[in-house]
Amino acid sequence: MKLVRHGAKGAERPGLLDKQGRVRDLSGVSDDITPEVLDPGKLADLARLHFEDLPVAPMPNRLGVPIASVSKLVCIGLNYKDHAKEANLPIPQEPIIFLKAVSALSGPNDDVVLPRGSKKGDWEVELGIVIGKQATYVSESEALEYVAGYTIVNDVSERAYQIERGGQWTKGKSFDTFAPVGPWLVTKDEIPQPQSLGIWLDVNCERRQTGNTNDMIFSVERLVSYLSEFMTLMPGDIVCTGTPAGVGLGMNPPQFLCPGDTMRLGVDGLGEQQQRVLAYDPLV
């Protein structure tokens, strides 16, 4: 299944995508796509619905973050060898973990707003793992049992905030709108091989990133197991698995986002996102 949340920001309704690519409204079945809905039994109940009996949502229709009430965004840094190389950093021996504020969450096609005074806004297309069951001390062999599905995350970054202002990376990653997620949550039965997905991103119609999840240093199973040693992963949590080479910081010379730019990005089987880049406006 491909689960969505559609409608105006703050008033999204639950839905799913039918075989014709239309959004079917789930409001008569569920109040929202909450963490509780990601329980394997409840997902199985949804899969048994006759999708053609559900009302079609009106078009055009904004898509929101496909999961409501996300408790945390856990991110993995330098998880592709080519990205570590372009950053002139050593290959990690263990996953590099940082957190991204949930206030950064936004819909897959919502505008990305650069913070006040931003000079080094950057892009990062990533596979997102959506947790379906509470996970603590999970083995790698069992890890996929705790995954509800997958989505796309654009881990938008402000490199000056991230690198040049001391401390950890979180403040360069957490400005409002810096975590577009979606368009869908694709349940794991539709993605049996998460380590063989093409992944790409364009800026202003020019390809910047091209990669494949088989180039990840730490696999989906490894990441879920590893993270569960240090924190309890909760249903609805999103794990951002890192980005391939081609970020603006790694270009020669570096290139960064400017107001008016457009980002378009996708992952095989998970759809596409597109965002317009805006300058911060305190009156909006």
Side-chain angles (χ1 to χ4, degrees), residues 3-24:
L3 299 175
V4 304
R5 297 174 66 246
H6 61 101
K9 188 173 183 178
E12 293 91 347
R13 299 158 64 94
L16 53 79
L17 214 65
D18 67 17
K19 291 181 179 179
Q20 290 73 43
R22 297 172 297 188
V23 175
R24 297 278 183 165

Side-chain angles (χ1 to χ4, degrees), residues 237-256:
D237 285 352
I238 300 172
V239 178
C240 308
T241 60
T243 198
V247 301
L249 181 66
M251 299 179 72
N252 187 17
Q255 296 185 26
F256 298 111

Side-chain angles (χ1 to χ4, degrees), residues 204-215:
N204 299 331
C205 300
E206 294 186 10
R207 185 59 44 98
R208 294 294 187 226
Q209 293 183 274
T210 302
N212 193 289
T213 57
N214 62 21
D215 293 326

Side-chain angles (χ1 to χ4, degrees), residues 3-5 14-15 26 30-35 37-38 66-68 185:
L3 299 175
V4 304
R5 297 174 66 246
L26 278 173
S30 178
D31 291 336
D32 209 340
I33 308 297
T34 62
V37 171
L38 304 183
I67 312 103
L185 188 172

Side-chain angles (χ1 to χ4, degrees), residues 72-76 97-100 227 231 233 237-241:
K72 55 185 174 289
L73 279 164
V74 187
C75 301
I76 307 300
I97 302 171
F98 62 94
L99 297 177
K100 200 170 176 90
L227 291 170
M231 65 189 80
L233 297 173
D237 285 352
I238 300 172
V239 178
C240 308
T241 60

Side-chain angles (χ1 to χ4, degrees), residues 151-166:
T151 190
I152 303 170
V153 181
N154 188 354
D155 177 19
V156 184
S157 309
E158 214 303 331
R159 301 300 189 188
Y161 291 11
Q162 176 188 354
I163 299 169
E164 300 170 17
R165 298 189 60 176

Side-chain angles (χ1 to χ4, degrees), residues 78 80-91 245 250:
L78 304 177
Y80 287 73
K81 290 181 181 178
D82 58 359
H83 179 48
K85 182 178 179 180
E86 72 175 353
N88 293 314
L89 293 170
I91 302 299

Side-chain angles (χ1 to χ4, degrees), residues 218-282:
F218 305 106
S219 68
V220 168
E221 292 95 331
R222 174 67 174 140
L223 292 176
V224 172
S225 174
Y226 185 86
L227 291 170
S228 75
E229 294 182 36
F230 302 99
M231 65 189 80
T232 295
L233 297 173
M234 300 299 294
D237 285 352
I238 300 172
V239 178
C240 308
T241 60
T243 198
V247 301
L249 181 66
M251 299 179 72
N252 187 17
Q255 296 185 26
F256 298 111
L257 293 169
C258 297
D261 286 346
T262 298
M263 293 178 284
R264 182 169 165 260
L265 54 148
V267 177
D268 289 352
L270 303 181
E272 296 183 9
Q273 302 182 358
Q274 181 165 305
Q275 298 102 28
R276 178 179 57 164
V277 179
L278 302 180
Y280 175 72
D281 183 347

